[in-house]
Amino acid sequence: MTARPLFGVPADCRVVDDQAAQVLIDRYMAAAALHADAAALIVPARPDLMTAREVAARLDGLLLTGSPSNVEPRRYGRPDIVGNGPFDPGRDAMTLALIEEMIGLGRPVFGICRGFQEINVAFGGTLARDLGDADRSLVHHAASGLPIAEVFDHIHDVALVPGGLLARNLGRESLAVRSVHFQGVDRLGEDLAIEATAPDGVIEAISACINGAPVLGVQWHPEWQVDADAASQGFFALFGRALRGDRLD
């Protein structure tokens, strides 16, 4: 029996019952493992205990998940601003180093929400804040304090770029997506292509192929209720193809 590909999923550093913990929200890993038909390995966000290089060498690909935390502004050249926390410097350090290592090895990197933002930062881009502000023409996050199911019921359309990676592989011109983010792309990272935009012009998906490594990030949440949405399943199926070395043209 041929072994399935193995992808890494970086954890978050959080405090659980007053103790430091490495935490991964299960739905990200489960959606990818099922619909990419691959095995998953949780990567601790502890760059003080292990290097990204020694971890990356063992992986066929990398999935960067969403998280309650935001990337620290100093990571994208803005140490002058306070930014909106919470922050997770351990995850920042591990994921940004892992992206570099995986691309150097020619292996795929896919990202969701925070993971999408991490990809942009890794390519030299910057992030904008306050996309959940109620005064915006299009609000990208539900009101605070709602139950989690209602937060993820905040939906808007995105337009897929004609001829882009997502449009070609999903066979769609647009999608209705679950939008749960306060931050997003400000300046697009070098060598990244836009794959989708929201009606207000906010970049919602990005891609690249560097050193043979397919890179794809989406700002929305395909992992939420993935079994009920064919396009979300298609995102993870695309990840599975990339893990197996298929060309994504």
Side-chain angles (χ1 to χ4, degrees), residues 98-114:
L98 276 171
I99 292 169
E100 181 178 358
E101 292 295 334
M102 296 300 286
I103 290 173
L105 292 168
R107 297 174 188 173
V109 177
F110 276 42
I112 296 170
C113 199
R114 190 195 208 270

Side-chain angles (χ1 to χ4, degrees), residues 42-84:
I42 300 173
V43 180
R46 291 294 305 270
D48 55 323
L49 298 178
M50 63 196 72
T51 68
R53 176 164 296 179
E54 63 189 340
V55 172
R58 293 163 164 81
L59 302 174
D60 296 304
L62 183 67
L63 178 69
L64 305 168
T65 71
S67 168
S69 67
N70 289 322
V71 179
E72 286 188 308
R74 68 182 181 88
R75 298 288 182 179
Y76 47 93
R78 293 300 308 272
D80 55 309
I81 62 175
V82 176
N84 297 334

Side-chain angles (χ1 to χ4, degrees), residues 9 14 23-33 42 63 65 223:
V9 191
R14 299 199 207 173
V23 177
L24 172 67
I25 297 176
D26 185 75
R27 67 175 186 269
Y28 294 100
M29 179 275 298
I42 300 173
L63 178 69
T65 71
E223 87 291 347

